[in-house]
Amino acid sequence: AEMFGQLTSGLESAWNKLKGEEVLTKDNIVEPMREIRRALLEADVSLPVVRRFVQAVSEQAVGVGLIRGVKPDQQLVKIVHSELVKLMGGEVSELNFAKSGRTVILLAGLQGVGKTTVCAKLSYYLKKQGKSSMLVAADVYRPAAIDQLVILGEQVGVPVYTAGTEVKPSEIARRGLEEAKKKKMDVVIVDTAGRLQIDKSMMEELKEVKRALNPTEVLLVVDAMTGQEAAALVTTFNLEIGITGAILTKLDGDSRGGAALSVREVSGKPIKLVGRGERMEDLEPFYPDRMAGRILG
Ligand code: GDP
């Protein structure tokens, strides 16, 4: 199934309830709103987000009145579209770069979400914008992760700083940053260790790495397939270590879309980039407007 496929058809049944109506009223939007609510919940959108969304759409729908030449179902589509855009943060949220000196991007996330892949994709993404970058391998618990980063770095033609698994991650980060300074790199991207679940030692380690780096961006990498969980994850990481945004991966999979729709609203942090595949070029900015367009089919 394609991402959002189910959500799109769920919403279609909402518009269909308005066929033959002349104007949106308090009464005739009850059924469509119920369909919208159901579609969002089935897409794994977080419950409080669904509630607020439905409320906002209903209020507007009742208020629009008769617009000549525009059918009520089209009016509702328009309202839902603009509320979806708002929900996802409105404007695209760009990466921030340091005003002077090096930009440091710290990547965090649970194991298997695609963090290591994102490191390399991000360096490739920056390279296309004319920015040089260096990768730093600070995931000391999985030697395979270090090897993987080195291989991916070679693939995209970006240097990778490694210091094995015996050095503390915060120390690796510090040394990596020094190395990047020497090499006059524009951006340093630091890969950190993930765990299968949130745990205290991971958070402590991330805090330490963050202190050592004073990063420009702290981005949490989140697997879109985690659905509802994603929003809670971003919130927790933000409270614990303070993040500047999220990167949503595996949007090419059959996730139902809940993460893309809930993260911003629940955590207050923007999704900055999305990964749509395993290739190095599969990383792009998160465009709320386009995403809303895709959802509405
Ligand atoms: P890490 O444990 O977070 O560092 O995760 P990895 O970077 O090793 O990625 C785990 C798996 O997910 C690998 O097989 C990647 O190829 C795959 N992967 C990462 N990003 C994406 C994506 O956007 N789409 C798809 N389909 N697979 C991805």
Side-chain angles (χ1 to χ4, degrees):
E2 207 215 322
M3 188 183 170
F4 294 141
Q6 205 186 345
L7 179 54
T8 304
S9 56
L11 290 173
E12 260 160 26
S13 53
W15 329 136
N16 286 337
K17 300 268 180 210
L18 287 166
K19 288 274 182 282
E21 299 286 338
E22 293 295 319
V23 63
L24 290 172
T25 69
K26 204 167 178 324
D27 290 332
N28 71 12
I29 64 156
V30 170
E31 275 295 311
M33 289 317 299
R34 199 171 284 151
E35 293 295 327
I36 291 173
R37 183 186 153 86
R38 183 183 307 152
L40 291 171
L41 286 173
E42 278 173 3
D44 273 342
V45 179
S46 145
L47 182 60
V49 173
V50 174
R51 288 212 180 106
R52 281 197 292 272
F53 186 86
V54 166
Q55 169 117 28
V57 172
S58 315
E59 276 167 15
Q60 285 180 62
V62 177
V64 287
L66 188 74
I67 302 172
R68 216 172 276 283
V70 186
K71 297 247 160 51
D73 57 338
Q74 293 167 344
Q75 285 181 23
L76 190 60
V77 172
K78 239 181 118 201
I79 295 168
V80 168
H81 182 273
S82 83
E83 284 299 317
L84 283 173
V85 174
K86 227 196 266 175
L87 187 63
M88 291 184 278
E91 296 294 304
V92 49
S93 188
E94 308 272 357
L95 277 180
N96 290 310
F97 295 97
K99 300 240 158 42
S100 62
R102 245 146 304 284
T103 295
V104 179
I105 302 175
L106 176 59
L107 293 179
L110 298 179
Q111 210 173 85
V113 296
K115 190 159 31 65
T116 304
T117 310
V118 162
C119 283
K121 281 178 173 174
L122 189 52
S123 64
Y124 183 66
Y125 178 86
L126 293 169
K127 194 177 187 178
K128 284 186 289 185
Q129 294 179 8
K131 288 188 166 64
S132 61
S133 65
M134 195 178 93
L135 301 172
V136 176
D139 181 353
V140 296
Y141 303 102
R142 285 194 312 141
I146 300 178
D147 298 340
Q148 189 192 348
L149 198 64
V150 170
I151 291 166
L152 291 174
E154 269 169 22
Q155 209 176 309
V156 293
V158 165
V160 181
Y161 179 82
T162 63
T165 55
E166 299 300 316
V167 185
K168 268 202 332 189
S170 57
E171 186 54 31
I172 296 175
R174 206 172 283 128
R175 291 184 199 171
L177 196 53
E178 279 306 310
E179 186 71 16
K181 246 178 228 171
K182 271 190 222 149
K183 290 198 154 105
K184 295 194 164 41
M185 293 290 166
D186 299 323
V187 183
V188 185
I189 301 166
V190 181
D191 187 20
T192 59
R195 307 276 201 281
L196 288 175
Q197 280 165 329
I198 290 180
D199 81 14
K200 213 170 155 58
S201 66
M202 168 176 62
M203 288 301 183
E204 288 311 315
E205 185 180 293
L206 279 170
K207 284 179 200 171
E208 216 175 288
V209 173
K210 191 183 171 191
R211 273 196 297 272
L213 288 171
N214 189 23
T216 322
E217 291 273 14
V218 182
L219 301 173
L220 180 68
V221 182
V222 181
D223 182 338
M225 307 290 275
T226 47
Q228 280 230 27
E229 296 274 310
L233 207 63
V234 178
T235 306
T236 306
F237 268 83
N238 188 39
L239 289 173
E240 287 281 334
I241 56 168
I243 62 170
T244 56
I247 298 178
L248 210 53
T249 60
K250 309 189 191 180
L251 254 73
D252 53 315
D254 58 1
S255 81
R256 287 178 278 183
L261 287 167
S262 315
V263 162
R264 175 60 180 258
E265 178 88 352
V266 168
S267 72
K269 294 296 164 179
I271 296 170
K272 294 208 165 188
L273 297 160
V274 294
R276 301 192 173 279
E278 294 185 84
R279 298 173 314 159
M280 288 300 109
E281 52 268 49
D282 295 329
L283 185 77
E284 53 192 68
F286 178 69
Y287 298 104
D289 190 48
R290 282 189 211 169
M291 202 61 91
R294 272 185 65 196
I295 291 169
L296 294 179

PDB file of all heavy atoms in Angstrom, residues 109-118 121 139 142 145 148 152 191 221 248-253 274-278 282, ligand 1:
ATOM      1  N   GLY A 109      18.855   9.109  17.623  1.00  0.00           N
ATOM      2  CA  GLY A 109      17.707   8.289  17.240  1.00  0.00           C
ATOM      3  C   GLY A 109      17.855   6.864  17.710  1.00  0.00           C
ATOM      4  O   GLY A 109      18.956   6.442  18.074  1.00  0.00           O
ATOM      5  N   LEU A 110      16.763   6.136  17.706  1.00  0.00           N
ATOM      6  CA  LEU A 110      16.809   4.744  18.123  1.00  0.00           C
ATOM      7  C   LEU A 110      17.485   3.897  17.048  1.00  0.00           C
ATOM      8  O   LEU A 110      17.649   4.334  15.909  1.00  0.00           O
ATOM      9  CB  LEU A 110      15.392   4.226  18.398  1.00  0.00           C
ATOM     10  CG  LEU A 110      14.633   4.932  19.526  1.00  0.00           C
ATOM     11  CD1 LEU A 110      13.242   4.335  19.680  1.00  0.00           C
ATOM     12  CD2 LEU A 110      15.405   4.844  20.840  1.00  0.00           C
ATOM     13  N   GLN A 111      17.853   2.689  17.466  1.00  0.00           N
ATOM     14  CA  GLN A 111      18.555   1.799  16.535  1.00  0.00           C
ATOM     15  C   GLN A 111      17.650   1.366  15.371  1.00  0.00           C
ATOM     16  O   GLN A 111      16.474   1.080  15.587  1.00  0.00           O
ATOM     17  CB  GLN A 111      18.979   0.565  17.311  1.00  0.00           C
ATOM     18  CG  GLN A 111      20.241  -0.064  16.786  1.00  0.00           C
ATOM     19  CD  GLN A 111      20.690  -1.187  17.707  1.00  0.00           C
ATOM     20  OE1 GLN A 111      20.245  -2.316  17.598  1.00  0.00           O
ATOM     21  NE2 GLN A 111      21.555  -0.864  18.633  1.00  0.00           N
ATOM     22  N   GLY A 112      18.236   1.368  14.194  1.00  0.00           N
ATOM     23  CA  GLY A 112      17.506   0.836  13.037  1.00  0.00           C
ATOM     24  C   GLY A 112      16.613   1.830  12.322  1.00  0.00           C
ATOM     25  O   GLY A 112      15.970   1.502  11.329  1.00  0.00           O
ATOM     26  N   VAL A 113      16.563   3.067  12.812  1.00  0.00           N
ATOM     27  CA  VAL A 113      15.669   4.050  12.206  1.00  0.00           C
ATOM     28  C   VAL A 113      16.220   4.618  10.889  1.00  0.00           C
ATOM     29  O   VAL A 113      15.481   5.227  10.120  1.00  0.00           O
ATOM     30  CB  VAL A 113      15.353   5.232  13.163  1.00  0.00           C
ATOM     31  CG1 VAL A 113      14.597   4.731  14.386  1.00  0.00           C
ATOM     32  CG2 VAL A 113      16.624   5.959  13.585  1.00  0.00           C
ATOM     33  N   GLY A 114      17.531   4.410  10.685  1.00  0.00           N
ATOM     34  CA  GLY A 114      18.145   4.919   9.468  1.00  0.00           C
ATOM     35  C   GLY A 114      19.095   6.071   9.723  1.00  0.00           C
ATOM     36  O   GLY A 114      19.420   6.841   8.816  1.00  0.00           O
ATOM     37  N   LYS A 115      19.591   6.153  10.940  1.00  0.00           N
ATOM     38  CA  LYS A 115      20.449   7.272  11.347  1.00  0.00           C
ATOM     39  C   LYS A 115      21.767   7.315  10.572  1.00  0.00           C
ATOM     40  O   LYS A 115      22.166   8.373  10.076  1.00  0.00           O
ATOM     41  CB  LYS A 115      20.705   7.155  12.854  1.00  0.00           C
ATOM     42  CG  LYS A 115      21.379   8.337  13.488  1.00  0.00           C
ATOM     43  CD  LYS A 115      21.131   8.374  14.989  1.00  0.00           C
ATOM     44  CE  LYS A 115      20.962   6.993  15.610  1.00  0.00           C
ATOM     45  NZ  LYS A 115      22.165   6.154  15.541  1.00  0.00           N
ATOM     46  N   THR A 116      22.424   6.170  10.496  1.00  0.00           N
ATOM     47  CA  THR A 116      23.710   6.119   9.795  1.00  0.00           C
ATOM     48  C   THR A 116      23.528   6.463   8.311  1.00  0.00           C
ATOM     49  O   THR A 116      24.304   7.224   7.737  1.00  0.00           O
ATOM     50  CB  THR A 116      24.343   4.727   9.962  1.00  0.00           C
ATOM     51  OG1 THR A 116      24.447   4.454  11.373  1.00  0.00           O
ATOM     52  CG2 THR A 116      25.730   4.669   9.357  1.00  0.00           C
ATOM     53  N   THR A 117      22.474   5.916   7.742  1.00  0.00           N
ATOM     54  CA  THR A 117      22.163   6.225   6.344  1.00  0.00           C
ATOM     55  C   THR A 117      21.912   7.721   6.171  1.00  0.00           C
ATOM     56  O   THR A 117      22.394   8.339   5.220  1.00  0.00           O
ATOM     57  CB  THR A 117      20.902   5.435   5.895  1.00  0.00           C
ATOM     58  OG1 THR A 117      21.063   4.064   6.253  1.00  0.00           O
ATOM     59  CG2 THR A 117      20.676   5.548   4.405  1.00  0.00           C
ATOM     60  N   VAL A 118      21.176   8.310   7.106  1.00  0.00           N
ATOM     61  CA  VAL A 118      20.868   9.735   7.042  1.00  0.00           C
ATOM     62  C   VAL A 118      22.144  10.585   7.097  1.00  0.00           C
ATOM     63  O   VAL A 118      22.256  11.587   6.387  1.00  0.00           O
ATOM     64  CB  VAL A 118      19.882  10.163   8.161  1.00  0.00           C
ATOM     65  CG1 VAL A 118      19.914  11.668   8.376  1.00  0.00           C
ATOM     66  CG2 VAL A 118      18.469   9.723   7.825  1.00  0.00           C
ATOM     67  N   LYS A 121      23.504  10.526   3.661  1.00  0.00           N
ATOM     68  CA  LYS A 121      22.583  11.234   2.758  1.00  0.00           C
ATOM     69  C   LYS A 121      22.689  12.737   2.964  1.00  0.00           C
ATOM     70  O   LYS A 121      22.662  13.510   2.015  1.00  0.00           O
ATOM     71  CB  LYS A 121      21.136  10.828   3.067  1.00  0.00           C
ATOM     72  CG  LYS A 121      20.700   9.499   2.520  1.00  0.00           C
ATOM     73  CD  LYS A 121      19.254   9.283   2.984  1.00  0.00           C
ATOM     74  CE  LYS A 121      18.636   8.053   2.371  1.00  0.00           C
ATOM     75  NZ  LYS A 121      17.293   7.801   2.950  1.00  0.00           N
ATOM     76  N   ASP A 139      29.249   6.187  17.218  1.00  0.00           N
ATOM     77  CA  ASP A 139      28.455   5.049  17.686  1.00  0.00           C
ATOM     78  C   ASP A 139      29.425   3.944  18.074  1.00  0.00           C
ATOM     79  O   ASP A 139      29.810   3.114  17.260  1.00  0.00           O
ATOM     80  CB  ASP A 139      27.502   4.581  16.574  1.00  0.00           C
ATOM     81  CG  ASP A 139      26.633   3.410  17.016  1.00  0.00           C
ATOM     82  OD1 ASP A 139      26.858   2.876  18.118  1.00  0.00           O
ATOM     83  OD2 ASP A 139      25.727   3.043  16.252  1.00  0.00           O
ATOM     84  N   ARG A 142      28.384  -0.288  18.244  1.00  0.00           N
ATOM     85  CA  ARG A 142      28.256  -1.183  17.100  1.00  0.00           C
ATOM     86  C   ARG A 142      29.393  -0.926  16.124  1.00  0.00           C
ATOM     87  O   ARG A 142      29.328  -0.002  15.304  1.00  0.00           O
ATOM     88  CB  ARG A 142      26.923  -0.964  16.387  1.00  0.00           C
ATOM     89  CG  ARG A 142      25.722  -1.549  17.123  1.00  0.00           C
ATOM     90  CD  ARG A 142      24.530  -1.600  16.203  1.00  0.00           C
ATOM     91  NE  ARG A 142      24.313  -0.340  15.498  1.00  0.00           N
ATOM     92  CZ  ARG A 142      23.936  -0.247  14.230  1.00  0.00           C
ATOM     93  NH1 ARG A 142      23.751  -1.330  13.507  1.00  0.00           N
ATOM     94  NH2 ARG A 142      23.760   0.933  13.694  1.00  0.00           N
ATOM     95  N   ALA A 145      28.462  -0.261  12.719  1.00  0.00           N
ATOM     96  CA  ALA A 145      27.938   1.058  12.366  1.00  0.00           C
ATOM     97  C   ALA A 145      29.065   1.963  11.885  1.00  0.00           C
ATOM     98  O   ALA A 145      28.892   2.756  10.955  1.00  0.00           O
ATOM     99  CB  ALA A 145      27.232   1.685  13.562  1.00  0.00           C
ATOM    100  N   GLN A 148      30.033   0.833   8.452  1.00  0.00           N
ATOM    101  CA  GLN A 148      28.976   1.233   7.523  1.00  0.00           C
ATOM    102  C   GLN A 148      29.106   2.711   7.158  1.00  0.00           C
ATOM    103  O   GLN A 148      28.972   3.094   5.995  1.00  0.00           O
ATOM    104  CB  GLN A 148      27.618   0.986   8.195  1.00  0.00           C
ATOM    105  CG  GLN A 148      26.416   1.162   7.271  1.00  0.00           C
ATOM    106  CD  GLN A 148      25.110   1.206   8.055  1.00  0.00           C
ATOM    107  OE1 GLN A 148      25.072   0.888   9.253  1.00  0.00           O
ATOM    108  NE2 GLN A 148      24.044   1.611   7.403  1.00  0.00           N
ATOM    109  N   LEU A 152      29.751   4.263   3.454  1.00  0.00           N
ATOM    110  CA  LEU A 152      28.829   5.249   2.883  1.00  0.00           C
ATOM    111  C   LEU A 152      29.553   6.559   2.583  1.00  0.00           C
ATOM    112  O   LEU A 152      29.290   7.212   1.577  1.00  0.00           O
ATOM    113  CB  LEU A 152      27.649   5.497   3.830  1.00  0.00           C
ATOM    114  CG  LEU A 152      26.668   4.337   3.988  1.00  0.00           C
ATOM    115  CD1 LEU A 152      25.620   4.653   5.062  1.00  0.00           C
ATOM    116  CD2 LEU A 152      25.976   4.004   2.672  1.00  0.00           C
ATOM    117  N   ASP A 191      27.356  11.066  14.023  1.00  0.00           N
ATOM    118  CA  ASP A 191      26.476   9.907  14.180  1.00  0.00           C
ATOM    119  C   ASP A 191      26.638   9.364  15.597  1.00  0.00           C
ATOM    120  O   ASP A 191      27.752   9.149  16.061  1.00  0.00           O
ATOM    121  CB  ASP A 191      26.884   8.822  13.161  1.00  0.00           C
ATOM    122  CG  ASP A 191      25.899   7.661  13.141  1.00  0.00           C
ATOM    123  OD1 ASP A 191      24.752   7.824  13.588  1.00  0.00           O
ATOM    124  OD2 ASP A 191      26.293   6.575  12.654  1.00  0.00           O
ATOM    125  N   VAL A 221      16.348  11.439  14.390  1.00  0.00           N
ATOM    126  CA  VAL A 221      15.939  10.649  13.233  1.00  0.00           C
ATOM    127  C   VAL A 221      14.834   9.693  13.672  1.00  0.00           C
ATOM    128  O   VAL A 221      14.988   8.945  14.636  1.00  0.00           O
ATOM    129  CB  VAL A 221      17.139   9.874  12.642  1.00  0.00           C
ATOM    130  CG1 VAL A 221      16.711   9.099  11.397  1.00  0.00           C
ATOM    131  CG2 VAL A 221      18.279  10.835  12.318  1.00  0.00           C
ATOM    132  N   LEU A 248      12.405  12.506   9.267  1.00  0.00           N
ATOM    133  CA  LEU A 248      11.529  11.347   9.163  1.00  0.00           C
ATOM    134  C   LEU A 248      12.031  10.440   8.038  1.00  0.00           C
ATOM    135  O   LEU A 248      12.190  10.893   6.909  1.00  0.00           O
ATOM    136  CB  LEU A 248      10.114  11.846   8.859  1.00  0.00           C
ATOM    137  CG  LEU A 248       8.921  11.051   9.339  1.00  0.00           C
ATOM    138  CD1 LEU A 248       9.010  10.771  10.839  1.00  0.00           C
ATOM    139  CD2 LEU A 248       7.634  11.804   9.021  1.00  0.00           C
ATOM    140  N   THR A 249      12.317   9.193   8.378  1.00  0.00           N
ATOM    141  CA  THR A 249      12.834   8.268   7.357  1.00  0.00           C
ATOM    142  C   THR A 249      11.772   7.260   6.919  1.00  0.00           C
ATOM    143  O   THR A 249      10.746   7.114   7.567  1.00  0.00           O
ATOM    144  CB  THR A 249      14.021   7.457   7.906  1.00  0.00           C
ATOM    145  OG1 THR A 249      13.571   6.711   9.037  1.00  0.00           O
ATOM    146  CG2 THR A 249      15.172   8.354   8.307  1.00  0.00           C
ATOM    147  N   LYS A 250      12.087   6.584   5.848  1.00  0.00           N
ATOM    148  CA  LYS A 250      11.276   5.469   5.319  1.00  0.00           C
ATOM    149  C   LYS A 250       9.881   5.906   4.900  1.00  0.00           C
ATOM    150  O   LYS A 250       8.910   5.180   5.079  1.00  0.00           O
ATOM    151  CB  LYS A 250      11.238   4.314   6.330  1.00  0.00           C
ATOM    152  CG  LYS A 250      12.661   3.927   6.793  1.00  0.00           C
ATOM    153  CD  LYS A 250      12.718   2.679   7.610  1.00  0.00           C
ATOM    154  CE  LYS A 250      14.107   2.535   8.244  1.00  0.00           C
ATOM    155  NZ  LYS A 250      14.269   1.355   9.048  1.00  0.00           N
ATOM    156  N   LEU A 251       9.803   7.105   4.361  1.00  0.00           N
ATOM    157  CA  LEU A 251       8.524   7.571   3.838  1.00  0.00           C
ATOM    158  C   LEU A 251       8.113   6.817   2.582  1.00  0.00           C
ATOM    159  O   LEU A 251       6.990   6.929   2.130  1.00  0.00           O
ATOM    160  CB  LEU A 251       8.583   9.078   3.530  1.00  0.00           C
ATOM    161  CG  LEU A 251       7.819   9.919   4.541  1.00  0.00           C
ATOM    162  CD1 LEU A 251       8.566   9.988   5.854  1.00  0.00           C
ATOM    163  CD2 LEU A 251       7.557  11.308   4.025  1.00  0.00           C
ATOM    164  N   ASP A 252       9.061   6.060   2.031  1.00  0.00           N
ATOM    165  CA  ASP A 252       8.738   5.251   0.854  1.00  0.00           C
ATOM    166  C   ASP A 252       8.034   3.957   1.263  1.00  0.00           C
ATOM    167  O   ASP A 252       7.514   3.244   0.433  1.00  0.00           O
ATOM    168  CB  ASP A 252      10.018   4.927   0.082  1.00  0.00           C
ATOM    169  CG  ASP A 252      11.088   4.306   0.976  1.00  0.00           C
ATOM    170  OD1 ASP A 252      11.299   4.822   2.089  1.00  0.00           O
ATOM    171  OD2 ASP A 252      11.693   3.300   0.564  1.00  0.00           O
ATOM    172  N   GLY A 253       8.030   3.666   2.554  1.00  0.00           N
ATOM    173  CA  GLY A 253       7.389   2.439   3.025  1.00  0.00           C
ATOM    174  C   GLY A 253       5.879   2.610   3.094  1.00  0.00           C
ATOM    175  O   GLY A 253       5.340   3.616   2.642  1.00  0.00           O
ATOM    176  N   VAL A 274      13.078  14.660   5.057  1.00  0.00           N
ATOM    177  CA  VAL A 274      12.508  13.317   4.991  1.00  0.00           C
ATOM    178  C   VAL A 274      13.353  12.413   4.106  1.00  0.00           C
ATOM    179  O   VAL A 274      13.931  12.850   3.107  1.00  0.00           O
ATOM    180  CB  VAL A 274      11.048  13.326   4.466  1.00  0.00           C
ATOM    181  CG1 VAL A 274      10.126  14.028   5.437  1.00  0.00           C
ATOM    182  CG2 VAL A 274      10.953  13.965   3.082  1.00  0.00           C
ATOM    183  N   GLY A 275      13.428  11.145   4.497  1.00  0.00           N
ATOM    184  CA  GLY A 275      14.120  10.136   3.701  1.00  0.00           C
ATOM    185  C   GLY A 275      13.090   9.287   2.988  1.00  0.00           C
ATOM    186  O   GLY A 275      12.107   8.869   3.584  1.00  0.00           O
ATOM    187  N   ARG A 276      13.305   9.085   1.703  1.00  0.00           N
ATOM    188  CA  ARG A 276      12.327   8.341   0.918  1.00  0.00           C
ATOM    189  C   ARG A 276      12.917   7.142   0.210  1.00  0.00           C
ATOM    190  O   ARG A 276      12.490   6.798  -0.884  1.00  0.00           O
ATOM    191  CB  ARG A 276      11.784   9.178  -0.228  1.00  0.00           C
ATOM    192  CG  ARG A 276      11.123  10.411   0.094  1.00  0.00           C
ATOM    193  CD  ARG A 276      10.412  10.922  -1.152  1.00  0.00           C
ATOM    194  NE  ARG A 276       9.620  12.058  -0.774  1.00  0.00           N
ATOM    195  CZ  ARG A 276       8.435  11.931  -0.204  1.00  0.00           C
ATOM    196  NH1 ARG A 276       7.908  10.759  -0.017  1.00  0.00           N
ATOM    197  NH2 ARG A 276       7.773  12.995   0.163  1.00  0.00           N
ATOM    198  N   GLY A 277      13.959   6.555   0.783  1.00  0.00           N
ATOM    199  CA  GLY A 277      14.519   5.393   0.108  1.00  0.00           C
ATOM    200  C   GLY A 277      15.928   5.140   0.581  1.00  0.00           C
ATOM    201  O   GLY A 277      16.452   5.882   1.409  1.00  0.00           O
ATOM    202  N   GLU A 278      16.529   4.096   0.069  1.00  0.00           N
ATOM    203  CA  GLU A 278      17.841   3.706   0.556  1.00  0.00           C
ATOM    204  C   GLU A 278      18.982   4.363  -0.209  1.00  0.00           C
ATOM    205  O   GLU A 278      20.127   4.287   0.201  1.00  0.00           O
ATOM    206  CB  GLU A 278      17.958   2.180   0.505  1.00  0.00           C
ATOM    207  CG  GLU A 278      16.985   1.521   1.478  1.00  0.00           C
ATOM    208  CD  GLU A 278      17.155   0.014   1.536  1.00  0.00           C
ATOM    209  OE1 GLU A 278      18.031  -0.445   2.275  1.00  0.00           O
ATOM    210  OE2 GLU A 278      16.403  -0.674   0.832  1.00  0.00           O
ATOM    211  N   ASP A 282      18.086  10.070  -1.802  1.00  0.00           N
ATOM    212  CA  ASP A 282      16.720  10.051  -1.285  1.00  0.00           C
ATOM    213  C   ASP A 282      16.535  10.818   0.030  1.00  0.00           C
ATOM    214  O   ASP A 282      16.066  10.267   1.024  1.00  0.00           O
ATOM    215  CB  ASP A 282      16.247   8.602  -1.085  1.00  0.00           C
ATOM    216  CG  ASP A 282      16.139   7.850  -2.396  1.00  0.00           C
ATOM    217  OD1 ASP A 282      15.841   8.497  -3.411  1.00  0.00           O
ATOM    218  OD2 ASP A 282      16.361   6.633  -2.406  1.00  0.00           O
TER     219      ASP A 282
HETATM  220  P1  GDP B   1      20.627   3.097  12.213  1.00  0.00           P
HETATM  221  O1  GDP B   1      20.662   1.881  13.080  1.00  0.00           O
HETATM  222  O2  GDP B   1      19.620   4.083  12.704  1.00  0.00           O
HETATM  223  O3  GDP B   1      21.948   3.722  11.957  1.00  0.00           O
HETATM  224  O4  GDP B   1      19.977   2.618  10.809  1.00  0.00           O
HETATM  225  P2  GDP B   1      20.689   2.370   9.397  1.00  0.00           P
HETATM  226  O5  GDP B   1      21.128   3.646   8.808  1.00  0.00           O
HETATM  227  O6  GDP B   1      21.682   1.283   9.530  1.00  0.00           O
HETATM  228  O7  GDP B   1      19.416   1.880   8.546  1.00  0.00           O
HETATM  229  C1  GDP B   1      18.687   0.724   8.882  1.00  0.00           C
HETATM  230  C2  GDP B   1      18.064   0.156   7.604  1.00  0.00           C
HETATM  231  O8  GDP B   1      17.067   1.040   7.093  1.00  0.00           O
HETATM  232  C3  GDP B   1      19.073  -0.020   6.493  1.00  0.00           C
HETATM  233  O9  GDP B   1      18.801  -1.234   5.834  1.00  0.00           O
HETATM  234  C4  GDP B   1      18.798   1.168   5.558  1.00  0.00           C
HETATM  235  O10 GDP B   1      19.136   0.888   4.227  1.00  0.00           O
HETATM  236  C5  GDP B   1      17.310   1.348   5.725  1.00  0.00           C
HETATM  237  N1  GDP B   1      16.857   2.718   5.457  1.00  0.00           N
HETATM  238  C6  GDP B   1      17.335   3.879   5.972  1.00  0.00           C
HETATM  239  N2  GDP B   1      16.632   4.933   5.520  1.00  0.00           N
HETATM  240  C7  GDP B   1      15.666   4.442   4.686  1.00  0.00           C
HETATM  241  C8  GDP B   1      14.602   5.036   3.903  1.00  0.00           C
HETATM  242  O11 GDP B   1      14.358   6.255   3.875  1.00  0.00           O
HETATM  243  N3  GDP B   1      13.832   4.172   3.183  1.00  0.00           N
HETATM  244  C9  GDP B   1      14.038   2.823   3.200  1.00  0.00           C
HETATM  245  N4  GDP B   1      13.230   2.059   2.463  1.00  0.00           N
HETATM  246  N5  GDP B   1      15.020   2.244   3.916  1.00  0.00           N
HETATM  247  C10 GDP B   1      15.829   3.025   4.654  1.00  0.00           C
END
